[in-house]
Amino acid sequence: MSSLRYGWTTGACATAATKAAYTALLTGEFPDPVEITLPGGRRPAFALAAEELSDGAAMAGIVKDAGDDPDVTHGALVRSTVRLGAPGTGVVFRAGAGVGTVTKPGLPLEVGEPAINPVPRRMMREVLDGADAIVEISVDGGEELARHTWNPRLGILGGLSILGTTGIVVPYSCSAWIDSIRRGVDVARAAGRTHVAGATGSTSERVVADLHGLPEDALLDMGDFAGAVLKYLRRHPVPRLTIAGGIGKLAKLAAGHLDLHSKRSEVDFGLLAGLVQENPEVAERVRGAGTALEALRICADAGLPLGDLVAARAREVALDVLRGAPVEVDIVVIDRAGTIVGRAP
């Protein structure tokens, strides 16, 4: 089986488009393909999908190729329009159509700035080679695409972010998701939130938001990455954290797993049986259960609070990972219908 194909970040595409547009502005000709140097030294070349030269401005566009990663921006046309700026002004970045603007503090960009991250900005400054220039980045259809990202929750409105620290998209990488968790914590802290919640899915997120009356910027897109939430809060504490999820996911956390994905951890039915060992007959049935929900039903029929026991054990694991950080933790366990079936403390 062949290995998965790598792709290129929006930051790399914007940099290549900027280099092509700036070259055309100076020489009247667009280099095609256009080559750039990525932070790690790799030198990819990009074919131009759009180009336009007018008085005082040049625009180049590149179609993002995310390789074999299921990236929402795969196939998007990233454009850079470059104009010369006044002497001494340096490089000024602007958000064109489809690129968002930062509206909340806590991100690595100031409020009001275009959502073009620091590394892509540095890469674009390098290809401009010290020029005074105005660089406007746009993404065709970017505002609609952004609705399928974490941008609205992070306070990036109007479009996508221009991202990338290496310029390379690694297929099925967890890094983008984990980075969004960290930015979510940063935004919540900057907003003065004292209570945040990480949920394993949309149902548990709705339940915990209703339960505690939490605003959207206090909700972290945790998914399966409980460890990422806990480790970041260990270094950047918020006074209270609620972790919410289905019985299966939180049974994994109770067993010490910090990545709750089905391919990377499994429910330990021996552990669940041990939690109800006061009733040997029920414990044996739990040990042979096919799913955590079946184990929950078996215990409920016997009057045993498996959900609470799982929540208590999951809380112990979370506190161990936090290593004494000033974060109080509570756990909310739900079933498939969104009914709360366990809590701790």
Side-chain angles (χ1 to χ4, degrees), residues 93-324:
F93 292 100
R94 291 181 179 170
V99 170
T101 298
V102 176
T103 67
K104 291 183 180 181
L107 296 171
L109 298 167
E110 295 296 322
V111 171
E113 281 288 308
I116 302 169
N117 272 21
V119 172
R121 288 179 184 233
R122 188 180 75 227
M123 292 167 61
M124 283 183 264
R125 286 191 180 100
E126 288 172 356
V127 299
L128 291 168
D129 197 24
D132 298 304
I134 300 166
V135 178
E136 180 181 293
I137 305 299
S138 59
V139 180
D140 289 16
E143 187 167 4
E144 175 59 31
L145 292 173
R147 295 193 179 100
H148 304 284
T149 73
W150 294 286
N151 276 13
R153 180 167 293 178
L154 295 175
I156 298 171
L157 303 183
L160 295 163
S161 300
I162 303 301
L163 301 173
T165 54
T166 65
I168 299 170
V169 174
V170 179
Y172 295 91
S173 169
C174 303
S175 59
W177 195 312
I178 291 172
D179 185 64
S180 78
I181 289 171
R182 294 169 177 167
R183 299 295 76 80
V185 172
D186 293 342
V187 167
R189 281 165 51 91
R193 303 301 177 199
T194 59
H195 185 181
V196 297
T200 60
S202 58
T203 301
S204 53
E205 181 178 88
R206 174 181 52 77
V207 169
V208 76
D210 291 345
L211 178 67
H212 293 302
L214 294 175
E216 189 176 49
D217 61 5
L219 303 175
L220 309 175
D221 287 293
M222 183 180 79
D224 293 317
F225 300 107
V229 169
L230 293 165
K231 291 173 185 176
Y232 198 68
L233 285 174
R234 187 169 70 204
R235 302 191 300 276
H236 307 276
V238 172
R240 184 177 178 191
L241 165 69
T242 300
I243 295 177
I247 181 71
K249 297 283 188 182
L250 293 188
K252 295 179 184 181
L253 180 60
H257 297 293
L258 300 182
D259 183 338
L260 310 181
H261 194 280
S262 59
K263 292 184 179 179
R264 296 185 286 270
S265 59
E266 295 180 351
V267 173
D268 184 343
F269 290 97
L271 171 78
L272 297 184
L275 294 176
V276 294
Q277 60 186 346
E278 64 189 70
N279 187 322
E281 180 183 348
V282 171
E284 192 58 31
R285 291 179 64 200
V286 166
R287 194 182 306 276
T291 66
L293 279 170
E294 182 185 352
L296 182 70
R297 180 187 56 76
I298 291 168
C299 291
D301 290 344
L304 296 175
L306 182 63
D308 290 335
L309 297 169
V310 166
R313 181 63 66 90
R315 181 172 181 269
E316 291 175 9
V317 171
L319 291 172
D320 284 346
V321 176
L322 286 166
R323 296 181 189 171

Side-chain angles (χ1 to χ4, degrees), residues 8 13 16-17 20 31-35 44-51 60-64 77-78:
W8 312 111
C13 295
D32 189 7
V34 57
E35 184 180 272
F46 296 80
L48 298 189
E51 57 184 63
I62 289 171
V63 173
K64 177 178 172 178
L77 181 60
V78 180

